[in-house]
Amino acid sequence: VYTPLVGAGGELVASGAAQAGQVDPALEALEEDWRRLRELAAARTGALAENAEYLGYKADQEDALRWLQHGIG
């Protein structure tokens, strides 16, 4: 949806149509919002990967602790 919309907006601005003055600022705002959304998605992906790694370590630690308790008990 984003790419065709930006393409159509760019064509409208390039054509010099009367609406170009309204479309150009809206197009710039859309591009900025899209850039920010990509940044947020990348940050969220990184946070999820860190959480998954932590949970893996935690599970390993809990398994080792159970093993030690079972072996001693």
Side-chain angles (χ1 to χ4, degrees):
V1 173
Y2 171 78
T3 303
L5 184 61
V6 170
E11 289 175 13
L12 186 62
V13 170
S15 75
Q19 301 91 344
Q22 296 171 338
V23 172
D24 195 35
L27 189 57
E28 288 175 11
L30 176 64
E31 289 172 341
E32 177 61 25
D33 289 346
W34 189 252
R35 182 195 60 77
R36 180 72 179 131
L37 181 60
R38 285 192 314 259
E39 287 175 0
L40 291 171
R44 181 69 176 146
T45 298
L48 288 171
E50 288 176 16
N51 288 340
E53 185 177 0
Y54 166 77
L55 290 174
Y57 288 135
K58 178 117 174 93
D60 290 346
Q61 180 260 338
E62 290 172 356
D63 287 345
L65 184 58
R66 273 194 295 278
W67 180 80
L68 288 171
Q69 288 172 342
H70 178 70
I72 295 172

